[in-house]
Amino acid sequence: MILHLKPNVNDSKIAELAAQLEAIHLTEGADVQVLVTPSKLKEVPAVAAPYVAAAYPMDTDIQLASKSYKTATREVRFGQVVVGGNSQNTVVIGGPCSVESLEQITQSAELMKRLNISTLRAGCYKPRTSPYSFQGMGYEGLMLLRQMRETYGLNIITEVKDSSHVHDVIEHADIVQIGAKAMYDHSILKACGAARKPVLLKRGFGTTLQEFVQAAEFILSGGNEQVMLCERGIRTFETKTRFTLDLCGVAFLKEYTNLPVILDPSHAMGYRYGVPDLARACVAMGVEGLLIETHPNPAVAKSDASQQLNHAEFTAMFESLKPIAAAVNRNLI
Ligand code: PEP
Ligand code: MN
């Protein structure tokens, strides 16, 4: 159950109530004091009743992210970009899988600038499946991304792999990406909950929708209201494609959660041939954004070479999304 407290309740009373109810305390908006109790509560407990301005009973541990708590999609802002809220924006986020060199990331940034795309994404700390694969440029890559932001005025998004660099990413990136493999890392979720930066939380490939949204609850209950969910494919029995993009799951997220949804067809497909078709299908679903990998020369990419579009393919795909966005009443930005 989510409880909004009356404005005059003092700090020590809030702490006392939180302890009595085994609740998490957070502040929303300018100064709304909120207690989130275990979801099984059906009625406001008598000890809390005199201090409660509004109560929202919940059936499951999807609470702060639930549509029955906030009916409108939450607004998330980065730079000049707004998604969710009253906007009908679908943001395209592009860039290579990894930052590899100044030259490569400059070419990527110039492509985004040319297409009027506001947000550049590339990994610096790569959670690779093999220790023998390229592990990313780390802090040096993060500084190159910063340079792209300063030179081209782009928002930058990069992923956190573990807690050793979470604070560096929070400090320097405009959006913090939590990758599919890091989604269960509580030290990352906690650090992102304490941060006041937008977070893109990717779904683990073996994660149920309930578990996925509960991971988002860790960030929201830390007081960070800027969380976006990213579907990037789940593992099924199928092996011809890398993963299976769960569009049914996306319909669930849209129906039952208040968080903006970003779709990543690149990692789901694993092969560039399917990415443009999937991107068009994703835009047709009326989601808040798309994440697409593109590399100046995919053949020599140090990670995810098979799925990255070259710049001509990316440009053609991006242009093809515009009439689809218009048809479903979205602004492609
Ligand atoms: C990535 O975004 O480059 C990445 C590694 O994705 P995921 O965490 O979805 O595997
Ligand atoms: Mn990748």
Side-chain angles (χ1 to χ4, degrees):
M1 179 179 285
I2 300 172
L3 303 172
H4 283 196
L5 300 182
K6 291 178 178 166
N8 58 351
V9 184
N10 65 35
D11 290 349
S12 64
K13 188 70 207 176
I14 295 174
E16 188 186 323
L17 286 173
Q20 284 171 323
L21 303 177
E22 297 178 359
I24 292 177
H25 169 223
L26 63 134
T27 302
E28 276 189 349
D31 191 23
V32 180
Q33 301 307 313
V34 178
L35 293 178
V36 188
T37 76
S39 54
K40 60 183 180 284
L41 279 188
K42 294 286 173 237
E43 282 173 17
V44 179
V47 284
Y51 308 98
V52 169
Y56 305 84
M58 297 290 159
D59 292 338
T60 78
D61 279 335
I62 297 179
Q63 299 209 62
L64 294 163
S66 168
K67 267 254 163 57
S68 32
Y69 176 47
K70 288 184 192 289
T71 49
T73 305
R74 288 173 185 258
E75 186 177 280
V76 174
R77 288 177 176 266
F78 37 99
Q80 304 296 312
V81 175
V82 181
V83 296
N86 291 325
S87 84
Q88 282 293 311
N89 292 336
T90 296
V91 63
V92 176
I93 298 171
C97 183
S98 301
V99 181
E100 297 173 4
S101 66
L102 174 60
E103 190 195 357
Q104 172 248 19
I105 200 64
T106 300
Q107 287 176 285
S108 304
E110 286 178 348
L111 176 69
M112 297 309 130
K113 208 62 204 164
R114 205 157 54 240
L115 297 177
N116 234 346
I117 289 176
S118 60
T119 308
L120 173 69
R121 194 210 72 114
C124 306
Y125 304 92
K126 297 303 299 176
R128 304 309 299 280
T129 308
S130 164
Y132 312 117
S133 304
F134 176 61
Q135 304 293 308
M137 289 182 75
Y139 192 75
E140 197 190 339
L142 189 56
M143 291 303 102
L144 289 179
L145 275 181
R146 258 197 70 144
Q147 195 179 325
M148 295 305 107
R149 183 179 50 204
E150 277 147 30
T151 309
Y152 297 98
L154 295 164
N155 303 307
I156 57 172
I157 163 166
T158 196
E159 79 186 284
V160 176
K161 178 176 70 166
D162 62 53
S163 54
S164 69
H165 51 262
V166 62
H167 294 290
D168 286 338
V169 172
I170 288 170
E171 181 181 346
H172 296 295
D174 298 296
I175 306 171
V176 180
Q177 174 178 322
I178 303 177
K181 291 173 186 150
M183 194 211 86
Y184 287 111
D185 184 324
H186 284 82
S187 50
I188 294 176
L189 295 172
K190 202 168 167 211
C192 288
R196 292 297 172 264
K197 282 252 167 106
V199 176
L200 180 80
L201 178 69
K202 284 189 148 198
R203 180 182 183 184
F205 48 71
T207 301
T208 65
L209 293 162
Q210 177 77 27
E211 291 163 344
F212 180 31
V213 184
Q214 283 179 189
E217 293 278 337
F218 275 97
I219 305 170
L220 295 166
S221 65
N224 187 350
E225 298 181 57
Q226 306 229 54
V227 181
M228 298 174 279
L229 299 174
C230 180
E231 162 61 31
R232 45 75 74 210
I234 52 173
R235 182 155 281 161
T236 65
F237 54 81
E238 187 51 73
T239 55
K240 294 291 186 203
T241 59
R242 190 177 180 196
F243 295 100
T244 297
L245 191 63
D246 183 11
L247 297 184
C248 296
V250 171
F252 168 87
L253 297 174
K254 285 178 56 163
E255 183 73 12
Y256 289 104
T257 81
N258 56 40
L259 301 178
V261 176
I262 309 291
L263 278 166
D264 171 359
S266 297
H267 289 87
M269 185 69 208
Y271 301 98
R272 75 177 55 80
Y273 75 87
V275 172
D277 276 348
L278 285 170
R280 289 185 279 271
C282 293
V283 169
M285 283 197 79
V287 290
E288 278 68 34
L290 279 192
L291 190 162
I292 309 280
E293 286 193 340
T294 176
H295 190 285
N297 183 1
V300 300
K302 293 188 174 177
S303 57
D304 286 348
S306 63
Q307 72 199 28
Q308 301 199 60
L309 304 181
N310 67 32
H311 286 185
E313 291 165 336
F314 183 87
T315 304
M317 177 223 58
F318 180 63
E319 292 303 323
S320 78
L321 301 179
K322 291 178 179 170
I324 297 170
V328 294
N329 201 21
R330 308 287 306 185
N331 312 311
L332 197 76
I333 58 169

